[in-house]
Amino acid sequence: IVEMMLLVILGATTGLVLARAAMPWLGVLVPPVMSVELAQDHLAIDWRVLSFTIATTLLATLVVAVWPALRASRHDLQSRLRLAGRGVGRSGQRVASALVVIEVAVVATLLSVSAGILVSYVRVHGVSIGYDADDVYAFAVAPPNLQYQDPSARRDYLNRISTALATDPSIQEFGYATGIPRLIGYQDAVRSASMTSNVRPVDVHIDFVSDGYLGALDVGLLTGRLLTAGDRAGAPGAVVITDDLARTLWPGQNAIGQELRVEQLPPDAGELRVVGVIRRVRRAAAPESSVYLSLAQNESVFMARHFEVIVESTVDPMQLATTIQRAVRSVDPGVPIVRSGAMVDVVSPEYALER
């Protein structure tokens, strides 16, 4: 019993030391979009689980060690030794064989579980969210309604921020929108022009974005083009949709140039034509199909409470904090940044659940 307890204590101590040493490496292996929930400084050993494991192991060790000792104590030691010299009886052989079978079954189970965990990790790490959140900084501004009372004033405010950001050579692309790919968004229903009124429209997420927004996110453009500065008021209505929506509305057809109708779109939108199809952008809540409309062609949307600005840069996103704060203050010192951070940190909680 003492020998087995010493072996258990030695094994548990070694495992604990290795677990502690492995914490930094586990933090490196965590996918970027899960960094908020599983950041390196959040990785720790759960002492409740550890205590339960130690207690269970000690109990199992005592049972395994005490049971043979109790069996041996029921027989005369000299008789047992004499029998041992003649070989193990059939009963002993059956017990030994059963123990071997149990050991093999336990090992096989552990290997199967380990393989399943490894496969799950590889699959989770390989899930595409539809855009590249690396090297992207996101922040939100909320121009007050008392100071910016009409859509044109709010549009000019955002354009001045864009002009200030354009002076930084490390910034590759930027754009702003009424939201970013997250759990909560503006939802609506759409239909193709050929769908009759008795056919149920398709539920989608709607994002009103500026030119440069989709490019800064490096969305996967499959066909057509992204929204540009030419998609402004007075120009033909342009819309970019995800490939799953294109397959739903126009199965087996080319979606480019097709007319799309949005159920609750503001009256100034006019006719909309699909100009681009991108890979599906994963969202942590249904529906997952997405439609991207030009903010410049929907001026009434500029009265939204806040706007999300994203910036793609050649440097670490967190190095942009000072540059962005300076740019926002240069436009209007009275409008604060209400939220900011690396894009992977902003969207991580929702995509951690999705993955």
Side-chain angles (χ1 to χ4, degrees):
I1 297 177
V2 174
E3 291 179 354
M4 294 190 68
M5 293 298 293
L6 288 175
L7 289 174
V8 169
I9 293 173
L10 179 60
T13 303
T14 303
L16 183 59
V17 171
L18 291 176
R20 294 283 294 179
M23 287 295 117
W25 297 101
L26 291 175
V28 173
L29 293 175
V30 171
V33 296
M34 299 174 70
S35 57
V36 166
E37 295 296 317
L38 297 174
Q40 183 171 326
D41 55 353
H42 287 76
L43 287 171
I45 296 175
D46 192 318
W47 295 104
R48 294 169 298 180
V49 175
L50 179 62
S51 300
F52 175 78
T53 303
I54 292 175
T56 304
T57 303
L58 290 176
L59 179 61
T61 302
L62 288 173
V63 171
V64 172
V66 171
W67 179 61
L70 291 176
R71 286 194 60 195
S73 65
R74 297 175 184 174
H75 303 278
D76 179 65
L77 181 59
Q78 292 183 355
S79 301
R80 298 293 294 181
L81 290 175
R82 285 195 298 269
L83 289 174
R86 301 175 185 173
V88 180
R90 292 183 178 179
S91 175
Q93 289 179 349
R94 286 196 295 268
V95 172
S97 300
L99 289 175
V100 171
V101 171
I102 292 173
E103 290 176 356
V104 172
V106 170
V107 170
T109 302
L110 291 176
L111 288 176
S112 300
V113 172
S114 300
I117 293 174
L118 181 59
V119 170
S120 297
Y121 172 79
V122 171
R123 289 179 177 176
V124 165
H125 201 277
V127 170
S128 172
I129 60 176
Y131 64 91
D132 187 4
D134 296 334
D135 301 325
V136 175
Y137 190 90
F139 66 96
V141 291
N145 290 335
L146 290 178
Q147 186 175 352
Y148 299 91
Q149 299 182 2
D150 59 85
S152 61
R154 299 168 80 83
R155 181 193 61 226
D156 292 342
Y157 168 76
L158 291 168
N159 288 339
R160 282 183 290 164
I161 291 180
S162 300
T163 301
L165 292 174
T167 60
D168 191 311
S170 68
I171 295 178
Q172 292 181 310
E173 203 160 5
F174 52 85
Y176 53 86
T178 53
I180 54 179
R182 305 186 60 165
L183 176 65
I184 301 174
Y186 172 60
Q187 298 184 17
D188 207 329
V190 299
R191 62 173 66 243
S192 65
S194 60
M195 290 173 62
T196 58
S197 58
N198 62 335
V199 178
R200 186 180 184 278
V202 181
D203 293 329
V204 297
H205 270 93
I206 300 286
D207 288 312
F208 295 90
V209 305
S210 72
D211 61 285
Y213 172 87
L214 296 175
L217 286 178
D218 287 332
V219 296
L221 180 64
L222 300 177
T223 183
R225 64 173 177 84
L226 301 179
L227 297 175
T228 67
D231 298 315
R232 58 185 181 275
V239 58
V240 173
I241 64 175
T242 50
D243 57 344
D244 56 327
L245 180 60
R247 288 192 298 268
T248 300
L249 294 179
W250 301 285
Q253 303 179 52
N254 184 4
I256 302 301
Q258 300 282 4
E259 183 180 355
L260 184 75
R261 295 176 180 174
V262 182
E263 297 287 286
Q264 301 179 24
L265 199 64
D268 56 347
E271 182 183 279
L272 293 173
R273 295 282 177 179
V274 177
V275 299
V277 178
I278 63 175
R279 285 197 307 265
R280 181 181 63 146
V281 174
R282 284 188 174 271
R283 298 181 183 266
E288 285 199 345
S289 299
S290 300
V291 171
Y292 297 91
L293 301 171
S294 171
L295 256 175
Q297 293 181 334
N298 299 274
E299 190 167 89
S300 60
V301 182
F302 277 102
M303 293 309 296
R305 289 190 304 173
H306 72 279
F307 297 89
E308 304 280 355
V309 185
I310 59 171
V311 180
E312 183 185 19
S313 174
T314 57
V315 301
D316 188 308
M318 295 310 298
Q319 296 181 18
L320 293 175
T322 302
T323 300
I324 289 173
Q325 290 174 1
R326 187 185 305 115
V328 173
R329 284 198 299 266
S330 69
V331 174
D332 188 342
V335 179
I337 295 176
V338 296
R339 182 185 61 254
S340 64
M343 186 71 167
V344 291
D345 295 335
V346 174
V347 301
S348 283
E350 288 78 17
Y351 285 116
L353 294 175
E354 166 69 10
R355 289 189 164 192

